[in-house]
Amino acid sequence: EKLIQSNVSILESFLLKIAYKRSIHSTAVDDRFIPSLDDKRISFSEDISEMIMFPNVTYCGDDNYGVPRCENLAMSYKAQIALHEYVTTIASMYRDIPFHNFDHASHVTMSANKLLNRICTPYEDEDDTAARTFGISADPLAQFVAVFSSLVHDVDHRGVPNAQLVVERSMLAIQFDNRSVAEKRSITVAWNVLMRDRFRELQSLIIANADEMRRFKQLLVNTVLTTDISDKERSAIGKLRWQEAFHPSQSSLLDEESSNGRLNDTSLRSLKATLVFEQIMQVSDVAHTMQHWEAFTKWNKRLYRELSKGYREGRGSMDPREGWCDGEIGFFDFYIIPLAKKLKECGVFGSAASEYLDYASENRRRWEEEGKETVRVMVMEDDVLAAKYVPRRNAYLHPKGIGDGHIVHTVGWMAFEI
């Protein structure tokens, strides 16, 4: 209940910012907007547009919604009850697994909240926070999506990586075309719950009109899908987009709408806002690697337990203890530290960028020194628990007809799937 209330408080704070902005900007509000049947469906086939997610109209350079200015606003009792019920429902749909559970979702939500508060707080003598943040600090709806996505991004996770679901030919893998299976499942579950009629009060607080409905859906889909860092195609495109936005002289991307082959100012701002927004989600999802050593090792142990459990149950044949120590070094070198460096490159996160990079670098250094012993103890403890509660199998082959009878290689932490 404590975690549920913590998440409720975070979501409520951003809902009040949405209400405050509408109260002073005369946002076009359809009288108690009711989603259509089409609105209630979530689609992964619609092209994601940066101009829809971060349109120019959301950019208000003279406003900063990171600073609470809505003391006189309060959610109605019915809305508070609805929000609490929604968070409680989502919490109940997280499975009892070691890593991808409601504790993890709450940790990610708190991390996203912290990052948003850091970037939306004006610097001393800063005149235009919105310009520095590419409009995010003046965009409470986007801020709400960041914490909402964090809360729901792993709901109903099955405790095995996407690659395993694909090899098993699971119904989810078939439903979602063998790509970002777990992420799409989480989005679908969270959206279907939110669109229930019993949450009409909550819907009207978040979404005021059809334009906001489309924008909210695109932001949600893009933000959660960005956590699938094992998607090589998406990662490659992301690197090109980052170069175009923050290192244009080194970019090979062309904009067909621009006569000189480069993005115009409005499109470039939307691209930068989108990329920074993705950074908030990606960093929050692995925030434990950029925090103090105890937090890092706590979550590292939980992830090992989850993958080890899957291996013992025959859902993947790669024993996670093999290469775990070296795999962590690779994960830091090829994902975590480059991700932390991007926080500084974009110029949005201020001192938080150095803080996160310093913690990541220190954790990598300590892991290089202490990783082998840490893994030895971690494996020993997990083996003791497994011997008590889970009978070991002599073979880890899937039943005939699944995976073509071959041993299944699990893509785990070392393959950058979180």
Side-chain angles (χ1 to χ4, degrees):
E1 179 60 34
K2 184 177 180 181
L3 275 182
I4 288 173
Q5 189 54 52
S6 173
N7 284 289
V8 168
S9 297
I10 290 172
L11 293 175
E12 182 177 358
S13 70
F14 288 98
L15 285 172
L16 289 175
K17 291 178 185 180
I18 293 174
Y20 174 75
K21 181 171 184 177
R22 287 179 185 154
S23 71
I24 64 173
H25 282 292
S26 301
T27 301
V29 179
D30 298 347
D31 187 24
R32 196 171 181 79
F33 175 74
I34 299 176
S36 66
L37 289 177
D38 189 55
D39 288 331
K40 291 184 177 183
R41 300 187 189 98
I42 199 75
S43 171
F44 301 104
S45 59
E46 181 180 359
D47 290 337
I48 299 294
S49 167
E50 287 140 9
M51 290 301 296
I52 291 176
M53 291 189 290
F54 291 97
N56 202 45
V57 70
T58 65
Y59 179 71
C60 305
D62 60 340
D63 288 324
N64 172 31
Y65 299 98
V67 178
R69 292 185 290 176
C70 44
E71 292 86 353
N72 296 325
L73 292 174
M75 287 174 55
S76 68
Y77 179 71
K78 286 178 64 177
Q80 289 176 338
I81 293 298
L83 179 60
H84 190 279
E85 182 182 348
Y86 181 80
V87 175
T88 301
T89 302
I90 291 298
S92 72
M93 301 177 84
Y94 272 90
R95 297 181 179 232
D96 185 17
I97 52 181
F99 186 88
H100 293 96
N101 51 36
F102 188 62
D103 283 352
H104 168 66
S106 300
H107 184 255
V108 175
T109 304
M110 287 185 279
S111 299
N113 180 54
K114 176 183 175 182
L115 267 180
L116 284 168
N117 288 333
R118 292 284 290 271
I119 71 173
C120 292
T121 300
Y123 294 166
E124 187 175 353
D125 300 324
E126 183 176 40
D127 295 327
D128 196 349
T129 305
R132 170 176 58 84
T133 62
F134 311 116
I136 293 174
S137 65
D139 191 348
L141 179 60
Q143 293 172 33
F144 175 80
V145 173
V147 292
F148 180 87
S149 299
S150 300
L151 176 69
V152 306
H153 79 286
D154 277 329
V155 66
D156 198 34
H157 196 287
R158 306 305 170 91
V160 295
N162 284 330
Q164 185 64 34
L165 295 173
V166 171
V167 170
E168 293 175 356
R169 300 173 185 170
S170 71
M171 292 302 296
L172 289 182
I174 295 170
Q175 178 184 355
F176 297 122
D177 299 320
N178 294 330
R179 188 174 183 186
S180 300
V181 179
E183 290 78 14
K184 290 175 180 176
R185 170 62 179 171
S186 296
I187 294 168
T188 303
V189 168
W191 187 256
N192 288 344
V193 173
L194 181 61
M195 288 297 106
R196 292 175 182 172
D197 289 344
R198 66 186 303 105
F199 294 117
R200 284 274 176 84
E201 192 79 17
L202 183 56
Q203 295 164 17
S204 65
L205 277 174
I206 302 169
I207 303 160
N209 51 51
D211 288 339
E212 286 192 358
M213 168 60 79
R214 188 182 185 197
R215 184 170 179 242
F216 183 88
K217 288 168 76 172
Q218 288 217 358
L219 281 167
L220 173 63
V221 169
N222 189 64
T223 305
V224 175
L225 289 184
T226 200
T227 64
D228 182 11
I229 56 178
S230 66
D231 187 328
K232 294 181 180 179
E233 180 182 345
R234 185 180 181 88
S235 296
I237 293 173
K239 289 178 182 178
L240 290 175
R241 291 163 67 231
W242 187 269
Q243 289 293 100
E244 175 71 0
F246 297 106
H247 305 286
S249 63
Q250 304 170 27
S251 175
S252 60
L253 286 179
L254 295 177
D255 178 36
E256 296 177 357
E257 297 180 0
S258 177
S259 59
N260 62 359
R262 295 297 175 191
L263 297 171
N264 58 46
D265 289 345
T266 300
S267 298
L268 183 60
R269 186 197 69 81
S270 295
L271 174 60
K272 288 182 175 180
T274 302
L275 292 170
V276 169
F277 204 68
E278 291 173 1
Q279 292 297 299
I280 293 171
M281 188 67 216
Q282 289 180 333
V283 168
S284 299
D285 195 27
V286 293
H288 61 282
T289 65
M290 304 179 196
Q291 294 171 345
H292 54 79
W293 175 255
E294 289 74 17
F296 165 57
T297 52
K298 166 190 170 181
W299 289 102
N300 187 269
K301 181 186 297 184
R302 289 189 178 192
L303 183 61
Y304 174 84
R305 284 179 55 204
E306 186 168 295
L307 293 176
S308 178
K309 179 177 181 290
Y311 171 70
R312 290 192 303 272
E313 293 174 350
R315 306 189 73 184
S317 66
M318 190 176 79
D319 190 335
R321 77 185 72 196
E322 297 174 5
W324 189 271
C325 187
D326 292 339
E328 287 300 302
I329 295 295
F331 190 59
F332 272 107
D333 289 345
F334 295 106
Y335 184 72
I336 296 300
I337 290 177
L339 180 63
K341 286 180 177 179
K342 282 184 176 181
L343 296 181
K344 183 171 289 188
E345 282 181 30
C346 66
V348 170
F349 295 90
S351 61
S354 297
E355 175 188 322
Y356 281 56
L357 179 58
D358 288 346
Y359 270 118
S361 300
E362 175 61 13
N363 285 335
R364 188 221 183 271
R365 183 196 66 78
R366 284 194 65 174
W367 186 266
E368 196 164 31
E369 293 181 356
E370 305 175 36
K372 288 184 179 180
E373 177 60 17
T374 301
V375 171
R376 186 191 70 78
V377 174
M378 183 170 67
V379 169
M380 180 181 66
E381 292 175 346
D382 184 66
D383 286 348
V384 170
L385 287 174
K388 287 182 178 180
Y389 302 112
V390 181
R392 285 187 174 274
R393 298 181 181 180
N394 293 324
Y396 302 99
L397 290 173
H398 286 282
K400 186 176 180 180
I402 299 180
D404 296 325
H406 295 292
I407 295 177
V408 177
H409 291 275
T410 301
V411 179
W413 182 262
M414 284 72 79
F416 305 162
E417 182 159 346
I418 306 301

